[in-house]
């Protein structure tokens, strides 16, 4: 479909590309790896950045460049402990092809593992450490960052999109989804109340990753320790609670994000404890009281938002997320709702654990 050799040739690669093959499970971009003649392992990651989802890819790449340079100045192994953007031969951070597609290259970080699910509390602990370390590394980053996706975790903005999609009902799915829609509506006020605390400045603004599911982190293959955060497309200024929230949604789930057998889906409190232990060991002293108070709730907030986004995309006719079968977004909605219910039931216990750890 694309002339990948020609695209790769635009970048300042060290050597001649042999294989260029698809990799990864992302829902938004197309991710490939590039092998270089004479090298056994892949050397680069090539991505077609989704310019419908990210309307300003150049600004997004600039965010990534600035933040990764900031991190590189602080870590021991700058080529492994964050992404390295490989420029084009002209020195640009991306290449735009004749069809208007945007492409970017980063160094492939080898001897690593990536996962879609955490299997042990140790993995969750490592995940928490990794996010805590990422937040520490960017805590003194002061340049303004472009808001690459408008209102990404802003539930007020999401409700605006939601109301429009429901009113439009472009593929006639609303009539069969009354129960699912009520899951969203019954929590609307509660979620707006939470977001108001950020809007009012009670919860502070920081540099945040905004897409902290487990597959967006690399683990060291040798010993299972966490190496670094990747998939930096959604770097923005927001609340760190987006990041703990999305990580809890991912690391504590006993099932897959799109599990069909809902009996397999719940929040595992031991994974929660392990994740928080890791995260707070890095960031515990940095957080404000308002952030600490909302740590456990952040999982509920982002899981709720994810239920809304999957359902909204289903109602909209599946335009945003890549799907593997026709009702995939509805399956995702139901699985994430089951997780949300499980988190809601365990919220008092989660809050108690955070208090003890702090
Ligand atoms: P998407 O935006 O589509 O989610 P990601 O940037 O998360 O794409 O990449 C998808 C997968 O590719 C990751 O989960 C990881 O397994 C792998 N990957 C991405 N970048 C690198 C890298 N620099 N080094 C090694 N593996 C990577
Ligand atoms: C998308 O790109 P990827 O697969 O890492 C999405 C996240 C969702 C996630 C759900 C830019 O992440 O917000 O939480 O899918 N990214 C974007 O798994 O919308
Ligand atoms: Mg990803």
């Amino acid at each position: 479909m694309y002339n990948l050799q020609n695209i790769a040739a635009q970048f300042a690669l060290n050597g001649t590309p042999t294989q260029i093959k698809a990799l990864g499970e992302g829902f938004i971009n197309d991710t490939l790896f590039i092998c270089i003649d004479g090298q056994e392992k892949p050397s680069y990651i090539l991505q077609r950045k989704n310019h419908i989802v990210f309307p300003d890819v150049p600004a997004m790449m600039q965010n990534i460049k600035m933040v990764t340079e900031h991190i590189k100045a602080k870590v021991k192994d700058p080529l492994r402990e964050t992404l390295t953007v490989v420029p084009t031969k002209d020195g640009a951070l991306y290449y735009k092809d004749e069809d208007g597609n945007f492409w970017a290259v980063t160094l492939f970080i080898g001897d690593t593992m990536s996962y879609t699910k955490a299997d042990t509390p140790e993995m969750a602990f490592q995940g928490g450490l990794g996010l805590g370390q990422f937040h520490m590394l960017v805590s003194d980053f002061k340049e303004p960052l472009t808001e690459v996706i408008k209102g990404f975790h802003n539930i007020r903005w999401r409700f605006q999109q939601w109301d429009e999609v429901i009113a439009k009902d472009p593929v006639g799915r609303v009539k069969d989804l009354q129960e699912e829609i009520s899951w969203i509506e019954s929590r609307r006020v509660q979620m707006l109340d939470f977001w108001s605390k950020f809007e009012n400045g009670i919860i502070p603004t920081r540099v945040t990753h905004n897409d902290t599911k487990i597959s967006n982190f690399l683990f060291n293959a040798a010993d299972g320790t966490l190496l670094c955060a990747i998939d930096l497309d959604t770097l923005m200024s927001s609340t760190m609670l987006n990041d703990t929230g999305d990580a809890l949604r991912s690391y504590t789930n006993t099932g897959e994000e799109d599990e069909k057998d809902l009996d397999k889906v719940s929040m595992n409190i031991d994974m929660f404890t392990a994740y928080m232990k890791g995260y707070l060991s890095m960031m515990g002293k940095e957080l404000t009281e308002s952030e600490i108070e909302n740590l456990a709730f952040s999982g509920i907030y982002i899981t709720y938002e994810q239920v809304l986004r999957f359902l909204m995309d289903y109602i909209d006719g599946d335009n945003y997320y890549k799907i593997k079968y026709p009702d995939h977004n509805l399956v995702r909605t139901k699985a994430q709702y089951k997780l949300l219910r499980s988190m809601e039931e365990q919220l008092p216990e989660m809050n108690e654990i955070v208090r003890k750890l702090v």
Side-chain angles (χ1 to χ4, degrees), residues 47-98:
Q47 272 185 335
R48 187 180 68 84
K49 300 289 188 180
N50 184 327
H51 60 275
I52 309 296
V53 168
F54 299 105
D56 191 349
V57 175
M60 174 178 93
M61 293 307 297
Q62 190 57 37
N63 279 357
I64 297 175
K65 179 72 181 172
M66 289 191 298
V67 172
T68 53
E69 289 300 320
H70 181 86
I71 294 175
K72 284 177 192 300
K74 295 181 166 190
V75 294
K76 280 201 196 116
D77 191 346
L79 294 183
R80 290 181 59 78
E81 292 181 56
T82 190
L83 292 179
T84 304
V85 179
V86 177
T88 65
K89 288 172 178 165
D90 301 334
L93 301 177
Y94 60 89
Y95 165 65
K96 190 177 177 186
D97 70 21
E98 304 88 63

Side-chain angles (χ1 to χ4, degrees), residues 25-27 29 31 47 211 213 215-216 230-231 233:
E25 280 275 308
F27 295 2
N29 298 315
T31 305
Q47 272 185 335
D211 194 359
K213 64 182 181 185
S215 63
N216 290 333
I230 57 169
D231 199 346
D233 296 350

